[in-house]
């Protein structure tokens, strides 16, 4: 229901903007691309065995890092204040955590990889200096995201290799954004811009599913029960040991949140209509 409501709100805003293009004097549209580094990250532990010693290392990660491309539509009420709606798509970079342990003389390597894909809407207030040629500005707004987290687990022990791939999705992410940028006005119609933006957001998927499970190249997914390969993430649940749930139903577990905070640089072009 939340996803459908979000789509309706987005369509209304876009339709309203298109219908007013002809009449709006301060209207502009734009395209941008950029890359973001992690910020506001979570932590996990990586272990490495070497002889009689084991090294522990903290891995800080945020799934908000990576490349993004987007478009925007804005309207300046005057030379100093305006409103903007941006839409961008995140192609998240990989986070890799590797455990290398010595299991009674046999080296076992476990690798955990995760990355994200997310469509994000960003309604913002724009405050500009109002200069004619080089015009600095600031933006403050909300961030609304719909996406997924792709995970891969690889377990290697001798010649035995087991691989699982999982996709977590569902739910809507909310956060806040802020940006500092500058427009370089080429003429009355075209401008190029660059901005540093910060995003503070976390995402809690509502469901997950194994998309691949194989051992030494042999598929194991089809032989697994629904409860072994489909998951439902809920705020709370009760497990009745005397009457366990059916294996034909998705298994339940408590919800978790993954960080999507980032700081990045975007560059692009604006066209004033």
């Amino acid at each position: 229901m939340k996803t459908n409501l979000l789509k309706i709100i987005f369509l209304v805003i876009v339709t309203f903007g298109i219908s007013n293009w002809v009449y709006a004097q301060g209207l502009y549209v734009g395209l941008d691309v950029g890359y973001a580094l992690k910020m506001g990250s979570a932590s996990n532990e990586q272990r490495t065995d070497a002889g009689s010693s084991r090294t522990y290392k903290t891995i800080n990660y945020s799934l908000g890092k990576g490349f993004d491309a987007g478009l925007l539509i804005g309207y300046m009420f005057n030379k100093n204040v305006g409103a903007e709606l941006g839409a961008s798509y995140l192609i998240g970079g990989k986070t890799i955590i590797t455990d290398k342990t010595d299991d009674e003389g046999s080296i076992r390597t476990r690798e955990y990889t995760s990355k994200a894909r997310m469509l994000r809407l960003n309604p913002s207030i724009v405050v500009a200096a109002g200069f004619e040629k080089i015009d600095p500005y600031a933006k403050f707004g909300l961030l609304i995201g719909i996406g997924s987290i792709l995970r891969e687990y690889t377990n290697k022990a001798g010649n035995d290799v087991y691989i699982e791939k999982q996709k977590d999705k569902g739910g809507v992410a909310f956060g806040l954004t802020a940006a500092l940028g500058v427009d370089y006005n080429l003429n009355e119609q075209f401008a190029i811009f660059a901005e540093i933006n910060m995003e503070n957001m976390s995402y809690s998927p509502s469901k997950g599913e194994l998309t691949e499970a194989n051992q030494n190249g042999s598929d194991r997914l089809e032989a697994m029960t629904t409860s072994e390969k489909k998951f439902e993430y809920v705020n709370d649940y009760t497990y009745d040991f005397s009457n366990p749930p059916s294996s034909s139903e998705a298994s339940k577990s408590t919800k978790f949140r993954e960080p999507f905070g980032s700081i990045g640089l975007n560059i692009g072009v604006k066209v004033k209509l």
Side-chain angles (χ1 to χ4, degrees), residues 74-224:
Y75 181 75
M76 296 300 295
F77 305 111
N78 54 52
K79 68 177 183 179
N80 300 117
V81 180
E84 186 176 287
L85 176 64
S88 63
Y89 188 74
L90 170 69
I91 303 174
K94 286 184 178 181
T95 295
I96 302 175
I97 299 174
T98 302
D99 283 346
K100 190 174 183 180
T101 56
D102 189 342
D103 186 7
E104 298 181 353
S106 175
I107 300 299
R108 181 183 296 272
T109 302
R110 302 177 182 90
E111 184 175 277
Y112 307 85
T113 301
S114 57
K115 60 184 178 181
R117 300 287 186 267
M118 183 169 282
L119 173 65
R120 302 170 296 184
L121 300 180
N122 180 204
S124 302
I125 297 296
V126 182
V127 180
F131 298 153
E132 184 175 342
K133 191 69 175 178
I134 300 176
D135 190 17
Y137 62 86
K139 294 194 299 187
F140 310 91
L142 301 175
L143 195 62
I144 305 167
I146 301 173
S148 61
I149 301 173
L150 307 176
R151 308 181 191 277
E152 183 172 345
Y153 167 68
T154 303
N155 187 344
K156 297 180 181 179
N159 295 323
D160 194 32
V161 181
Y162 180 75
I163 298 174
E164 277 189 358
K165 294 183 181 180
Q166 179 175 330
K167 183 176 184 179
D168 291 333
K169 59 182 180 179
V172 180
F174 296 94
L176 300 173
T177 65
L180 293 174
V182 60
D183 286 339
Y184 181 77
N185 295 304
L186 301 174
N187 51 45
E188 291 185 356
Q189 188 175 14
F190 294 98
I192 56 176
F193 69 92
E195 65 180 40
I196 296 173
N197 58 73
M198 293 181 292
E199 299 179 352
N200 182 11
M201 185 172 71
S202 62
Y203 173 49
S204 179
S206 61
K207 57 186 175 181
E209 182 175 359
L210 289 182
T211 58
E212 181 181 328
N214 71 73
Q215 186 167 9
N216 301 326
S218 178
D219 179 66
R220 296 186 59 183
L221 191 63
E222 289 194 10
M224 299 172 72

Side-chain angles (χ1 to χ4, degrees), residues 149 151 168 203-205 233-234 253-258:
I149 301 173
R151 308 181 191 277
D168 291 333
Y203 173 49
S204 179
Y233 306 125
V234 296
S253 60
T254 53
K255 280 189 174 182
F256 58 91
R257 289 192 173 275
E258 292 282 22

Side-chain angles (χ1 to χ4, degrees), residues 23-52:
Y23 308 103
Q25 298 300 312
L27 189 70
Y28 61 89
V29 295
L31 298 170
D32 67 351
V33 295
Y35 186 84
L37 302 173
K38 63 178 182 288
M39 187 183 73
S41 58
S43 299
N44 214 322
E45 184 180 78
Q46 177 173 283
R47 300 169 298 173
T48 304
D49 286 356
S52 60

